[in-house]
Amino acid sequence: MDATIFTFLNIGALLGWTFVLFLLLSQLSVIQTSLPSLIQQLTIPFFDTTTTTTTVDDDDRLPIINLLLFLEGICFIEVGRIAIGQLKGKLVLGVILHLIRMTCLLIVLPAGLSSLDDTKVLISTLVLYSWALTEVGRYPMYLVPSSELARYVRLVLPIFTFPVGAFAEVVGAYWHLKQLLVGDDAATRSSLHWLQVGLLVIVVGVNALLGPTLAYPFLLKKGLPVLMGKKGKTKSSRKKED
């Protein structure tokens, strides 16, 4: 029963992240103009900034942000399963990764995607692309663990998506952190303000310092042998590694 529920969650997550990737691609002018008008009308509202603000507690978040929060909820279920031993994985890495994502979703991306600055919009969009591509490449191996192709994509794709995403996250977080620190008088800042500052400092610190020195070498250790086509690992050792 539990296995069936988690299989449906994995299918839902794969479909959700695939839809996110489609939404991102649909915003490219070269693709948007070729889409039927009905599809355009369905996709554009996900990025409609005309009725949104950038406050963390705002109920009028971009629809794309609400969709991503739902998908992150599924990711946190997976982290919980790792914590209780139902899934193999690095618990600390999973917790840090998804806390960084939640910080970006609640603080960085709403401001970035709604910005009038094209560069900030681009940075936020790169974050979303890196997440969507990584997750679309990750879930097939959960659904078809015996597939060599699914395993290849799962291990190789983050080699390319992680540096882009981590860089974009740290740039977006730094911009927002700088804005918070040079804003109102420190005496009038609330505890929520300082909570945001603390979370953004963590994002900048982890991505800038630990990302290149710990997280990325770990991904390279797993992915490079697969990318280079090296063989010789037993089935049991593969299961332990994945």
Side-chain angles (χ1 to χ4, degrees), residues 163-184:
V164 175
F167 174 77
E169 286 169 3
V170 76
V171 170
Y174 174 76
W175 280 342
H176 202 81
L177 177 62
K178 184 177 179 181
Q179 181 180 341
L180 289 177
L181 292 178
V182 300
D184 301 330

Side-chain angles (χ1 to χ4, degrees), residues 3-235:
T4 302
I5 293 174
F6 293 130
T7 297
F8 277 111
L9 278 177
N10 289 335
I11 293 173
L14 176 58
L15 292 175
W17 284 107
T18 302
F19 183 57
V20 169
L21 184 57
F22 169 74
L23 289 173
L24 291 168
L25 292 172
S26 72
Q27 302 306 299
L28 298 174
S29 57
V30 65
I31 294 179
Q32 190 177 80
T33 55
S34 64
L35 292 174
S37 58
L38 177 61
I39 301 298
Q40 293 182 31
Q41 292 173 10
L42 291 174
T43 58
I44 290 176
F46 279 88
F47 296 89
D48 184 11
T49 61
T50 57
T51 60
T52 60
T53 65
T54 58
T55 56
V56 176
D57 58 347
D58 182 36
D59 291 332
D60 294 325
R61 282 188 295 262
L62 288 170
I64 186 68
I65 297 294
N66 288 328
L67 173 58
L68 289 165
L69 287 171
F70 173 78
L71 294 173
E72 272 302 294
I74 298 178
C75 291
F76 272 103
I77 293 175
E78 295 168 6
V79 173
R81 293 183 66 196
I82 293 174
I84 63 177
Q86 286 188 353
L87 280 180
K88 292 181 179 179
K90 302 292 185 180
L91 179 60
V92 175
L93 182 62
V95 170
I96 294 174
L97 168 66
H98 293 294
L99 285 178
I100 287 175
R101 282 193 181 180
M102 288 299 293
T103 300
C104 290
L105 281 172
L106 294 174
I107 302 175
V108 179
L109 295 181
L113 292 172
S114 303
S115 176
L116 298 177
D117 186 334
D118 290 341
T119 304
K120 292 184 177 181
V121 175
L122 174 61
I123 288 295
S124 297
T125 303
L126 286 176
V127 171
L128 296 185
Y129 268 112
S130 70
W131 293 358
L133 287 169
T134 299
E135 299 302 329
V136 168
R138 182 169 72 95
Y139 280 101
M141 198 179 79
Y142 286 167
L143 295 169
V144 193
S146 61
S147 170
E148 287 294 324
L149 177 60
R151 181 177 183 274
Y152 181 91
V153 173
R154 165 70 180 90
L155 295 178
V156 170
L157 192 57
I159 294 176
F160 304 98
T161 58
F162 178 83
V164 175
F167 174 77
E169 286 169 3
V170 76
V171 170
Y174 174 76
W175 280 342
H176 202 81
L177 177 62
K178 184 177 179 181
Q179 181 180 341
L180 289 177
L181 292 178
V182 300
D184 301 330
D185 186 359
T188 64
R189 293 170 183 170
S190 65
S191 57
L192 177 60
H193 173 95
W194 291 113
L195 175 61
Q196 293 180 54
V197 169
L199 290 171
L200 292 171
V201 168
I202 291 174
V203 172
V204 172
V206 169
N207 282 28
L209 299 178
L210 300 184
T213 59
L214 292 179
Y216 196 56
F218 174 75
L219 294 176
L220 289 176
K221 182 180 179 181
K222 293 177 64 177
L224 274 183
V226 178
L227 179 63
M228 302 302 293
K230 293 183 179 179
K231 305 292 183 180
K233 289 191 176 183
T234 64
K235 187 175 182 180

